[in-house]
Amino acid sequence: MLTEWIVSSVFNEIAALLVLAAGVGFLGLVLRQPLIVSFIAVGILAGPSVLNIARSAEPIDLLAELGIAVLLFLVGVKLDVKLVRTLGMVALATGLGQVIFTSVFGFLICLALGLDPITSLYISVALTFSSTIIIVKLLSDKREIETLHGRIALGFLIVQDIVVVLAMIALSAVGVGARSGAGPGDVLRVMASGFAMLGVVILFVKFAANPLTERLARTPELLIGFAIALAAAFAAVGEGLGFGKELGGLLAGVALASTPFRDTIAARMAPLRDFLLLFFFIALGAQLDLRGLGDSGFAAVVLSLFVLVGNPLIVVLIMAGLGYHRRTGFLAGLTVAQISEFSLIFMAMGVSLGHVSGDSLGLVTLVGLITIAASTYMITYSHQLYRLCEPLLARLKIGERVRAAEGHGAQSDRGPEVVVFGLGRYGGALGRHLAASGRRVFGIDISPHAVRRWRDEGYEGAYGDLSDPEFLTTLPLAQARWVIATMRLRDTGVGHADARIVLIQQLRELGYEGRIAVASTEEAESDFVLESGADLVLTPFADAAERALELINGFEPAPT
């Protein structure tokens, strides 16, 4: 009776789906699961195998397609190639290495499970993608985005995003070639259209993007409306030209990626993306047969274990080969222990092209549920998990050779007299003045760019992650008379602890007997910092004001 009333109108059906999504989403929140797990569950529950209330295929598919366009638009907006360039080899080697490892061994595992070569190829590629949305959310909640392993993880996730784009381009080309009556001329026409649209984007970025968005930004709602319209329009044009709405949406995002409002646009459109993606998963659930999923149970478990164990392991091994400590590699590796929403979109494209069956889409969906749910807890409790696995990694001698960039680099015969943590504007300037006064200074920062700039100026320095207690044991502290912490309060380590206080405690536990100075922009916290074990509190703003007064008084006598 209730089901008949729900499906009697589209409005009732959408309302019921939203109520179901809210209820399942709340349960997921209690279980500390990301929204995507709840959405997949809603799709399955609303599908024909359970409640069978998702029957209005046309409006649901329309919202789902718009959601995919917005998702790809936001990928384009946030595609930060500069971060890959900053991190250099570690991002490229880890990102590409993980993609190659997962796709090759995933393909072999799928063949061993009895799947045909085409399905095995699709599934193995789908298993290579990790969810940037989930990882960024979890690392942000733990305040580990700016740690060394967090930045490396973001770097190779961007490499994965680029692979996603290339895979979808390849599928679009294959889709054009697979159409009945389509010949080489049609494929060339679509490729030419794609390049033409890319040219339009380049011209838009060069001449119109900044002035247009600056004017629209005077009314924030209009700016967001324009962004949504651009994503939908590019997706529609992409579909009309034959290379797909997915790539059209991506190009729309790239068109706005260079504007100063990219972060505002991404933040304001993220809730819309999540809302619309709900209908993608509902449409997905409507295609799934739970009886078929039961037959795929063994394959799903095998592939899930491969993703949960194999993906992090290859990252650890690659980073160990590059000289990173096993802890940094382990924490970065856990971020790829799941598949992505793009995995499901990729498989759905394969189904629409007739290359794979709905059963294979169901198999990847089940793998997504298992890996996303499990990896959420793995990332949340990553430090506890590392302590459990560290003895095994140490026994296997994985990640014992700490690279110069992560450890203490090329040292002079005599160790440094001063070690400066944080090479930002204040810490870098302080370090330079100390070096100019004749002191031997060693600088440490979590930013590879800051360390590279410091070394280019002729100073010794290293990448350093203060959330890693073992990192401090590699530092040249024997002759250091001062350790100076200039990090801002927001640059915290694990959890919500003040990284400066954690540093003081760890230095004292290691037996460091020199003096410790801590920079603070809040004079009110000076007593707390001193009670925590610091010998001196530096107040940059107050100290600068006093120095400015000295300079001014040097030009003219103080008033009487």
Side-chain angles (χ1 to χ4, degrees), residues 73-96:
F73 170 84
L74 291 180
V75 170
V77 165
K78 299 293 286 183
L79 200 59
D80 189 0
V81 181
K82 292 180 181 178
L83 180 59
V84 178
R85 190 165 59 245
T86 299
L87 289 170
M89 180 57 69
V90 62
L92 285 173
T94 308
L96 294 178

Side-chain angles (χ1 to χ4, degrees), residues 206-523:
K206 188 172 183 179
F207 297 108
N210 283 344
L212 180 59
T213 53
E214 285 176 8
R215 190 167 185 84
L216 291 171
R218 298 173 187 173
T219 307
E221 293 80 6
L222 184 58
L223 176 64
I224 302 306
F226 169 75
I228 296 171
L230 191 69
F234 270 56
V237 171
E239 183 75 3
L241 293 176
F243 55 83
K245 63 180 74 68
E246 296 84 6
L247 293 183
L250 180 83
L251 287 175
V254 172
L256 298 180
S258 63
T259 69
F261 307 101
R262 52 176 280 183
D263 292 327
T264 300
I265 292 171
R268 295 285 293 272
M269 288 184 65
L272 175 64
R273 172 203 63 202
D274 295 340
F275 172 75
L276 293 173
L277 280 181
L278 166 65
F279 293 94
F280 168 76
F281 291 111
I282 290 173
L284 184 67
Q287 303 176 39
L288 299 179
D289 184 353
L290 287 185
R291 291 169 296 181
L293 288 182
D295 297 336
S296 304
F298 176 73
V301 170
V302 171
L303 293 174
S304 297
L305 288 175
F306 170 64
V307 172
L308 290 168
V309 178
N311 281 0
L313 181 60
I314 191 60
V315 170
V316 171
L317 293 176
I318 292 173
M319 291 183 63
L322 293 172
Y324 283 86
H325 191 274
R326 54 177 166 263
R327 183 179 185 277
T328 304
F330 184 88
L331 297 178
L334 289 182
T335 61
V336 294
Q338 85 286 119
I339 64 172
S340 164
E341 61 278 3
F342 285 114
S343 305
L344 304 181
I345 293 173
F346 182 78
M347 292 299 296
M349 290 178 68
V351 172
S352 66
L353 292 172
H355 293 168
V356 295
S357 66
D359 290 342
S360 61
L361 174 59
L363 171 59
V364 174
T365 301
L366 191 54
V367 172
L369 275 173
I370 296 171
T371 57
I372 294 172
S375 67
T376 298
Y377 295 118
M378 291 167 65
I379 296 173
T380 301
Y381 300 104
S382 57
H383 299 277
Q384 295 91 326
L385 191 58
Y386 172 74
R387 285 196 291 269
L388 290 175
C389 298
E390 197 274 338
L392 176 61
L393 295 174
R395 194 174 301 120
L396 297 175
K397 300 187 183 300
I398 294 175
E400 289 192 338
R401 178 176 61 86
V402 181
R403 74 197 301 258
E406 201 182 4
H408 48 76
Q411 291 297 316
S412 58
D413 293 335
R414 294 181 296 169
E417 298 174 273
V418 181
V419 177
V420 178
F421 284 87
L423 298 175
R425 286 178 296 179
Y426 178 67
L430 178 59
R432 293 182 191 95
H433 283 296
L434 287 167
S437 69
R439 297 175 185 267
R440 299 186 302 278
V441 180
F442 189 84
I444 299 168
D445 201 286
I446 59 172
S447 167
H449 176 69
V451 175
R452 188 175 298 113
R453 184 179 59 214
W454 175 260
R455 287 176 168 175
D456 288 344
E457 294 177 11
Y459 305 112
E460 292 183 349
Y463 304 140
D465 185 356
L466 290 184
S467 65
D468 182 359
E470 296 180 16
F471 167 71
L472 296 178
T473 64
T474 70
L475 294 178
L477 298 174
Q479 300 179 41
R481 299 175 59 188
W482 281 95
V483 169
I484 304 175
T486 68
M487 307 87 67
R488 287 171 290 176
L489 178 59
R490 70 176 181 84
D491 292 333
T492 55
V494 182
H496 297 268
D498 186 333
R500 302 166 303 175
I501 305 304
V502 172
L503 175 63
I504 294 171
Q505 295 170 348
Q506 291 179 347
L507 286 171
R508 296 310 186 195
E509 289 174 4
L510 289 172
Y512 174 69
E513 297 179 354
R515 296 185 181 276
I516 301 174
V518 174
S520 172
T521 57
E522 302 292 336
E523 294 186 33

Side-chain angles (χ1 to χ4, degrees), residues 72-145:
L72 269 296
F73 170 84
L74 291 180
V75 170
V77 165
K78 299 293 286 183
L79 200 59
D80 189 0
V81 181
K82 292 180 181 178
L83 180 59
V84 178
R85 190 165 59 245
T86 299
L87 289 170
M89 180 57 69
V90 62
L92 285 173
T94 308
L96 294 178
Q98 181 264 318
V99 167
I100 294 171
F101 168 85
T102 306
S103 56
V104 171
F105 284 90
F107 179 76
L108 296 176
I109 291 173
C110 289
L111 289 179
L113 290 171
L115 300 174
D116 64 84
I118 297 297
T119 300
S120 298
L121 179 61
Y122 265 88
I123 292 177
S124 62
V125 173
L127 296 182
T128 64
F129 308 143
S130 301
S131 180
T132 304
I133 298 173
I134 295 173
I135 293 166
V136 169
K137 177 66 168 61
L138 292 173
L139 291 180
S140 297
D141 289 346
K142 297 180 67 180
R143 296 189 179 183
E144 293 184 4
I145 283 289

